[in-house]
Amino acid sequence: MFFLRRQRRVGAFGIIGLFVIVLGLIGGSFAIDILMPDSRMAGIAEAIKLLTGLIILLIAARLCRQVPVSRPQTASGQSAQTPTAEAVEQNSFRTIIEMSPDTICLCRDGVVTFINTAGLHLLDCSDTSQIEGQPLNRFVHPDYQVLCDSNFAPLVGEITATPMKFVSPSGRALDVAVIAAPAPEGNGSVLLVVRNISDVVRANRVVAAQVKRLNNILDTAVDAIVVTDEDGKIETFNRSAEAMFQYTAAQAIGCPINMLMSEKSAEEHKRKVFTALSTRHQQPNGAAREISGRRQDGSMFPAEISLSLCQLDDRRLFTAIFRDVTERRNFEDSLAHSANHDALTGLPNRRLLQQRLQQAVDHAAANKTQIAIWFVDLDGFKMVNDVMGHAAGDELLIEAGRRMVNAVSPTDVVARFGGDEFTIITVGVETRTAITEAIEHFLDALTDPFTLRGRELTLSANIGIALYPEDAVQASDLIVHASAAMMFAKAGGTNLYRFFDPSMHRLSAERLTLETELRRGIERGELLLHYQPQVEAASGRIVGLEALVRWQHPTRGLVPPGRFIPAAEQTGLIVPLGNWVLRQACADIRKLEDLGIEHLSVGVNISARQFSDSDIFGLIEEAIEESGIDPTHLDVEITESTLMNDPEHVIGYLERMKGLGITLSIDDFGTGYSSLNYLKRFPVDTLKIDRSFIIDIANNPKDEAIAVTIITLAHCMGMTVLAEGVEHARQAEILTQHGCDVIQGFLYSKPLPLAAAAAAVKDGGYLTRQMADEVLPARTLSR
């Protein structure tokens, strides 16, 4: 302000220089408003505005103090006197005021006493008379009238421009910024500098709308978006980030981004940022990478982050996009678990078994220790599936898996190999004795009754064991050897176990060859039936025949049943084999009927596998219809153990079979743990005493007592008793003495071809006791 205190006579060029300064300040302030509405520039802009306003006010005050505000002219419109130095100075100040882009006006008691040309343009007026002499509040929007009270008292003394709205006479609303100061005369006049900021306000509204739209976009983004400065301080934190990290934007902004990650992830992020700042690479992270995110409560979660660098004016900002990949990770883990675990039991599957076994083999090789692989086959699931449904079978399988896990050491691995087959890896094996004890404990636990849907069920198992390195050093070979050992255990009965022996491979190969040839033999019609007579104990009269299958091999000759029946039972060929026997026996019964032999019944064995795996009722019905026989001539023999698998279901099934007109026999009675409660409900005609009680009946009083008990029990229930496997006269005498009804065995006859059996019946139908030329073990379908 020193130049205002100099001599009053100021040259025109000095005035012009001052005006240029003012215009520069005004232009700079305006440019800052429009181009750099950044918060850091706001202070600079306001300072320039204040300085500009003060200079203009001082110039205007100088003018007001030196000259009247009116414009005196002669009648001709020219100056009344020759311009003096003061007039020149006055005109120079007036020129400055008139050339100002901002409105400058002088008010007294709220009335406009002077306004410059910019003010006329602002209010869309052409002459000062339209404004001067009018209250200024006439041109102020109603919402801002209060600022005009008390001669603009609310405005006077403000160090910053005050935003207001003016309204032109035409009704156009204008956004303005006003600076006010008392006039120097001290007569109550007020000087006002008014700037039209409509464009600035409009531009700010556009920017605000864009910012709001951008924020809305950020807030609707599924991913968390976090913007930081070079130092890692958070500047933007969208709603998804709030939800993901459990911080509000207010809490997060200004804090380091490291708080959103684990220490390890934060260090990695710091290296990425440093590299980006050093190389100015726009994608410092490259592809998205996985990190450990940290929530406000300290809990960690898997997240994916992609990082980009943005240059904004002279600042460099980093945009980090976070994605919570917990669901994806869980899904991937689920897929990995599904790929390596059985979907039903949750146990390791065959794929994971191979991995675990290979790991165990590698560890044992490095530490010179032994491992054992068990191959476990369960029996009884097929019956459960057929009787109670597959859902019940699945429940039983799950419970069996749990019981297996509990029955072995915590370090052992129990895996489901497939179907009802399981494998167990035992590490740190010391001796076979230790393995034997573990297996016996395992079988005891597994064979305890299961309670399923209100029913009590039992399972049996057979186990094969192979040892590393004794039996094999390759993981795959160990499984093969254990499986082979299991098959041999299964061939010996139930709840048995066998250690692998090299000879098993040879026998297995022979069995495989036999199985293939038997399958072809069934297709090529190489099977035939022989019939063993069943005679009345008291008279020796033939009262029945039992159909027994034989295999006439094209190169091997007549193959003994003991060789091919076990293979058929293990491979499932017993089902088509048994179905063929049923049809052929019915066809042979028709031949006997055609020969006039109508007092005989022909017994046909139904295996347990046939009974559970096929519609045996439908097969019997179809065979009777195809052959046209009298169904009373067909006797269906079912083993006691088969009947006791699910007696409630079996009772109904047997009653349906009886409805066909056939007779029913319980084969191998005394070996299947029959319940007398169920026995009395079975619609059975005959009990066949198992040959195990007959073999030593002449020398063992206990066997005799059992036979007597069965005979008495059967007679009390109205059943016929048949003793099979009778080979000696003394056996027959004891049985006859105790009231046995029918006897079958080599004592009377070995199995005969149909023609020979028919001839024996036609020749009188009586057989005398004789010693058989050969004695074959009695078994289902193969005596």
Side-chain angles (χ1 to χ4, degrees):
M1 291 174 33
F2 68 92
F3 50 85
L4 293 178
R5 296 177 180 176
R6 297 181 63 183
Q7 295 180 352
R8 294 178 59 191
R9 299 181 181 274
V10 181
F13 288 105
I15 297 299
I16 295 300
L18 183 61
F19 178 67
V20 170
I21 294 173
V22 171
L23 289 181
L25 292 171
I26 293 172
S29 174
F30 182 75
I32 289 172
D33 275 334
I34 295 297
L35 301 177
M36 292 181 290
D38 186 85
S39 60
R40 295 188 303 163
M41 304 304 296
I44 299 174
E46 289 300 327
I48 293 175
K49 291 176 187 176
L50 178 59
L51 181 58
T52 302
L54 290 175
I55 292 175
I56 291 174
L57 285 174
L58 291 171
I59 293 173
R62 178 79 171 177
L63 178 62
C64 293
R65 189 166 60 242
Q66 293 183 4
V67 298
V69 297
S70 62
R71 300 175 177 85
Q73 294 179 336
T74 62
S76 62
Q78 296 183 353
S79 300
Q81 58 185 6
T82 301
T84 64
E86 291 184 2
V88 172
E89 184 179 6
Q90 172 188 348
N91 289 335
S92 297
F93 280 112
R94 183 179 298 279
T95 299
I96 291 174
I97 292 174
E98 291 296 337
M99 292 182 65
S100 171
D102 290 332
T103 297
I104 300 175
C105 67
L106 182 65
C107 296
R108 184 173 182 179
D109 296 328
V111 177
V112 179
T113 59
F114 170 80
I115 190 166
N116 67 347
T117 302
L120 296 178
H121 294 159
L122 176 69
L123 297 174
D124 297 331
C125 295
S126 59
D127 190 80
T128 57
S129 62
Q130 294 176 273
I131 301 174
E132 291 178 354
Q134 301 290 332
L136 184 61
N137 61 6
R138 179 181 175 184
F139 306 100
V140 177
H141 191 280
D143 292 345
Y144 295 88
Q145 291 284 342
V146 67
L147 297 177
C148 300
D149 293 346
S150 304
N151 200 23
F152 308 103
L155 299 176
V156 175
E158 289 292 328
I159 62 174
T160 59
T162 302
M164 295 180 63
K165 272 188 182 295
F166 276 20
V167 180
S168 69
S170 63
R172 184 167 64 98
L174 302 165
D175 289 295
V176 297
V178 181
I179 297 177
E185 288 77 2
N187 59 358
S189 295
V190 177
L191 283 171
L192 298 100
V193 177
V194 181
R195 171 173 293 180
N196 185 356
I197 60 171
S198 297
D199 291 341
V200 175
V201 172
R202 190 160 40 250
N204 284 339
R205 286 173 182 164
V206 171
V207 172
Q210 291 175 343
V211 171
K212 183 177 180 181
R213 183 164 58 252
L214 177 60
N215 287 335
N216 287 338
I217 292 173
L218 292 177
D219 286 338
T220 56
V222 175
D223 295 331
I225 300 176
V226 180
V227 179
T228 67
D229 61 13
E230 296 179 19
D231 297 326
K233 296 295 190 297
I234 298 173
E235 294 189 1
T236 300
F237 202 74
N238 71 342
R239 289 181 184 173
S240 293
E242 291 181 328
M244 183 180 297
F245 295 102
Q246 299 176 352
Y247 289 98
T248 65
Q251 291 174 316
I253 292 175
C255 296
I257 193 173
N258 291 355
M259 72 179 186
L260 307 180
M261 313 174 198
S262 67
E263 292 183 4
K264 181 179 179 181
S265 298
E267 286 297 322
E268 178 66 18
H269 179 77
K270 184 177 179 180
R271 286 193 296 271
K272 295 287 184 182
V273 170
F274 177 80
T275 302
L277 293 174
S278 302
T279 62
R280 295 182 178 272
H281 198 280
Q282 293 300 309
Q283 291 292 337
N285 191 40
R289 62 187 177 88
E290 201 165 293
I291 66 167
S292 294
R294 177 191 283 120
R295 300 185 183 91
Q296 185 178 20
D297 61 7
S299 61
M300 309 300 292
F301 64 97
E304 196 175 74
I305 181 175
S306 57
L307 189 65
S308 60
L309 174 62
C310 173
Q311 188 76 31
L312 185 63
D313 298 328
D314 61 340
R315 305 183 65 215
R316 287 183 291 184
L317 301 177
F318 288 92
T319 300
I321 299 177
F322 294 88
R323 176 171 295 175
D324 188 338
V325 295
T326 301
E327 290 187 7
R328 189 182 75 187
R329 174 70 68 80
N330 291 340
F331 179 68
E332 291 172 351
D333 292 345
S334 176
L335 287 180
H337 186 274
S338 298
N340 293 294
H341 292 79
D342 177 55
L344 179 63
T345 63
L347 296 174
N349 60 11
R350 190 181 303 184
R351 181 172 180 269
L352 185 57
L353 168 70
Q354 295 281 0
Q355 297 175 7
R356 296 284 178 84
L357 182 56
Q358 186 61 54
Q359 293 170 0
V361 167
D362 293 342
H363 184 271
N367 293 277
K368 307 299 182 182
T369 58
Q370 292 189 96
I371 63 173
I373 179 81
W374 311 5
F375 202 99
V376 182
D377 178 78
L378 301 179
D379 290 326
F381 278 105
K382 177 63 178 175
M383 178 65 71
V384 174
N385 286 337
D386 292 343
V387 175
M388 301 178 65
H390 287 277
D394 289 346
E395 292 176 21
L396 184 57
L397 204 58
I398 292 170
E399 184 56 36
R402 291 197 189 105
R403 190 174 290 188
M404 289 184 193
V405 172
N406 293 332
V408 298
S409 171
T411 59
D412 293 349
V413 177
V414 179
R416 187 183 180 195
F417 196 78
D420 55 4
E421 295 177 336
F422 294 79
T423 49
I424 300 172
I425 303 172
T426 300
V427 297
V429 176
E430 296 181 357
T431 63
R432 286 199 177 203
T433 301
I435 289 293
T436 299
E437 292 175 354
I439 291 175
E440 289 177 351
H441 170 73
F442 177 86
L443 287 174
D444 289 341
L446 192 62
T447 53
D448 281 345
F450 291 84
T451 300
L452 183 66
R453 299 185 179 184
R455 294 187 178 187
E456 193 173 87
L457 304 172
T458 57
L459 293 177
S460 59
N462 291 288
I463 304 174
I465 308 100
L467 301 176
Y468 170 90
E470 180 178 336
D471 297 324
V473 294
Q474 298 295 327
S476 57
D477 291 342
L478 287 170
I479 294 177
V480 171
H481 294 345
S483 177
M486 182 275 296
M487 295 300 294
F488 278 85
K490 192 172 183 178
T494 59
N495 292 327
L496 300 177
Y497 60 91
R498 289 282 300 273
F499 284 90
F500 173 75
D501 184 274
S503 64
M504 291 179 178
H505 276 314
R506 176 182 55 80
L507 297 175
S508 295
E510 292 179 359
R511 186 180 65 229
L512 180 61
T513 301
L514 189 66
E515 174 193 342
T516 303
E517 293 179 350
L518 178 59
R519 191 182 302 275
R520 293 175 181 173
I522 295 173
E523 296 172 354
R524 296 172 180 175
E526 296 174 1
L527 302 178
L528 54 88
L529 290 182
H530 283 187
Y531 293 90
Q532 187 170 34
Q534 299 169 339
V535 302
E536 190 175 54
S539 64
R541 183 172 65 94
I542 300 174
V543 293
L545 302 171
E546 182 178 6
L548 303 171
V549 68
R550 298 293 185 264
W551 180 14
Q552 187 65 52
H553 194 278
T555 59
R556 299 173 187 259
L558 194 64
V559 180
R563 288 196 59 192
F564 70 87
I565 291 298
E569 290 176 339
Q570 293 171 14
T571 60
L573 285 176
I574 195 67
V575 174
L577 177 62
N579 294 345
W580 179 88
V581 169
L582 176 63
R583 286 189 170 89
Q584 187 59 45
C586 287
D588 289 348
I589 291 173
R590 181 55 190 261
K591 292 178 182 179
L592 293 175
E593 291 177 348
D594 292 342
L595 291 174
I597 301 174
E598 298 185 351
H599 68 282
L600 295 180
S601 67
V602 176
V604 177
N605 290 277
I606 301 298
S607 70
R609 193 77 173 264
Q610 256 185 298
F611 196 81
S612 62
D613 289 5
S614 62
D615 178 16
I616 192 63
F617 174 84
L619 291 172
I620 294 173
E621 185 178 36
E622 183 179 339
I624 292 173
E625 291 179 357
E626 287 179 355
S627 61
I629 65 171
D630 181 350
T632 60
H633 294 159
L634 176 64
D635 180 59
V636 174
E637 299 181 7
I638 304 173
T639 62
E640 182 184 12
S641 58
T642 300
L643 297 179
M644 293 309 299
N645 272 338
D646 185 12
E648 288 291 345
H649 170 74
V650 168
I651 289 172
Y653 205 72
L654 293 180
E655 289 175 346
R656 290 181 61 203
M657 294 171 65
K658 281 287 287 185
L660 296 174
I662 64 175
T663 59
L664 294 174
S665 297
I666 297 181
D667 199 11
D668 300 336
F669 187 78
T671 61
Y673 309 103
S674 287
S675 165
L676 296 181
N677 178 51
Y678 286 116
L679 182 62
K680 70 179 182 180
R681 296 168 59 191
F682 288 146
V684 174
D685 301 287
T686 302
L687 290 185
K688 297 185 70 173
I689 304 175
D690 186 71
R691 69 185 306 272
S692 62
F693 302 117
I694 304 301
I695 293 174
D696 206 28
I697 193 172
N699 303 312
N700 191 332
K702 292 182 179 179
D703 285 341
E704 182 178 357
I706 291 174
V708 171
T709 301
I710 294 174
I711 293 170
T712 303
L713 177 65
H715 287 166
C716 291
M717 293 186 178
M719 302 176 188
T720 299
V721 181
L722 186 153
E724 56 184 354
V726 178
E727 300 172 0
H728 303 286
R730 181 57 183 158
Q731 295 170 339
E733 290 172 359
I734 294 174
L735 290 168
T736 303
Q737 176 184 350
H738 292 297
C740 181
D741 302 301
V742 181
I743 292 176
Q744 174 185 344
F746 281 80
L747 178 63
Y748 287 95
S749 175
K750 65 181 181 180
L752 305 170
L754 178 64
V761 175
K762 295 289 286 184
D763 288 344
Y766 288 89
L767 293 176
T768 58
R769 297 173 183 175
Q770 60 184 2
M771 292 303 296
D773 294 331
E774 63 177 316
V775 177
L776 296 178
R779 58 181 301 112
T780 302
L781 298 177
S782 60
R783 296 184 188 86

